[in-house]
Amino acid sequence: MDRIISVAIDGPAAAGKSTVAKKVASILNFTYIDTGAMYRAFTNAVIKKGYDPKNEALSCSLIPGMDIELKEDGRVLCNGEDVTKVIREPLVSGNVSYIASYKGIRLALVEMQRKMAASKSVVMDGRDIGTYVLPNANVKIYQIASVETRAVRRYEENLAKGIPTTLEEVAEDVRKRDYIDSHREFAPLKPAVDSVLIDTSYMSVNQAVDAVLKVIHDKTGLEIPCH
Ligand code: DC
């Protein structure tokens, strides 16, 4: 049987983690796990129920029975409903950091994430993967980029997806999420001590992918397929 390898990619909002992680997973034939999508799906469920995401008790009341599935084709299902598109909308992006700061919700989602990584090789992206979810991950990357670069990237992504936002709104959202994500009490955003820092501010997607693949090769000895 092939050896199971786990790759953790953490970093702030819109640093290009998911684009890079998806490509790396596809090149290595690993499963890609987007943990941010799980916090987003939970946030959407809270909003849909008519609850205020700033209300911890009401938000946490949805934990029992919450079922979030990440499909191999990239679809996100929440209690059977396809929420792939709606979880990227500004209403969800603007509220997800509150939901991600609640310990009860984090514990429930972390349990799901650990189960997903237990039996197969994964590339998992998030904020606390190397520090908390998979502390024994074979490879830990901390991917960053400047606020300006991240805002432009997220703005262009939204444009392509037909999601109406302005560059100023996106930059504000990125700053706000950076603050809340790195100041929360439980499992805040921070680099793991044994992580490798990759700054993608001046890198193309392919350069960032190659940088991550090199770290994986150096740390695990895994032969990287031609791509
Ligand atoms: O990566 P993203 O922008 O889709 O993440 C959405 C939010 O979820 C982000 O503001 C922080 C939170 N998050 C987290 O706290 N822990 C993770 N492992 C992944 C995301």
Side-chain angles (χ1 to χ4, degrees):
M1 201 183 90
D2 283 346
R3 160 166 83 116
I4 292 177
I5 293 177
S6 47
V7 178
I9 304 189
D10 291 301
K17 299 184 300 291
S18 64
T19 311
V20 170
K22 244 181 252 168
K23 284 189 188 260
V24 167
S26 143
I27 290 166
L28 299 178
N29 205 16
F30 287 9
T31 298
Y32 166 60
I33 299 175
D34 176 0
T35 62
M38 300 172 75
Y39 290 94
R40 287 171 178 272
F42 203 113
T43 306
N44 183 59
V46 170
I47 293 169
K48 225 182 114 191
K49 187 87 181 166
Y51 293 164
D52 179 357
K54 292 198 186 81
N55 185 320
E56 180 168 0
L58 277 182
S59 299
C60 288
S61 73
L62 296 187
I63 296 171
M66 176 63 68
D67 178 39
I68 298 171
E69 266 183 278
L70 302 179
K71 295 294 197 187
E72 289 284 343
D73 62 7
R75 279 178 311 132
V76 182
L77 304 187
C78 185
N79 297 328
E81 186 197 345
D82 188 335
V83 294
T84 316
K85 189 145 190 265
V86 70
I87 61 170
R88 303 291 159 194
E89 288 184 359
L91 185 59
V92 171
S93 299
N95 283 293
V96 64
S97 278
Y98 302 116
I99 295 299
S101 71
Y102 304 145
K103 187 171 179 182
I105 293 175
R106 296 200 73 83
L107 291 177
L109 297 189
V110 165
E111 193 185 323
M112 293 181 202
Q113 292 155 12
R114 287 184 178 150
K115 274 191 193 138
M116 291 176 191
S119 56
K120 55 193 177 192
S121 291
V122 297
V123 180
M124 192 179 277
D125 98 49
R127 304 293 190 286
D128 58 342
I129 311 305
T131 53
Y132 185 75
V133 182
L134 305 176
N136 297 321
N138 305 79
V139 181
K140 298 181 185 179
I141 307 283
Y142 196 73
Q143 185 171 326
I144 59 165
S146 67
V147 172
E148 293 70 26
T149 306
R150 291 188 281 136
V152 169
R153 284 182 190 159
R154 187 52 57 95
Y155 171 71
E156 285 173 353
E157 232 173 73
N158 286 351
L159 267 188
K161 286 181 186 158
I163 299 171
T165 40
T166 65
L167 184 55
E168 291 70 33
E169 275 168 359
V170 179
E172 189 44 42
D173 175 58
V174 162
R175 273 193 211 95
K176 177 180 135 191
R177 286 205 284 143
D178 280 0
Y179 185 85
I180 303 179
D181 293 345
S182 51
H183 285 80
R184 68 173 173 239
E185 216 170 291
F186 184 65
L189 168 68
K190 64 171 183 211
V193 283
D194 48 351
S195 62
V196 176
L197 181 82
I198 297 184
D199 184 344
T200 67
S201 300
Y202 301 103
M203 282 184 185
S204 66
V205 170
N206 286 342
Q207 285 170 329
V209 167
D210 284 337
V212 172
L213 288 170
K214 182 171 180 334
V215 178
I216 295 173
H217 173 74
D218 292 347
K219 294 261 177 196
T220 66
L222 188 75
E223 284 309 324
I224 306 300
C226 283
H227 54 279

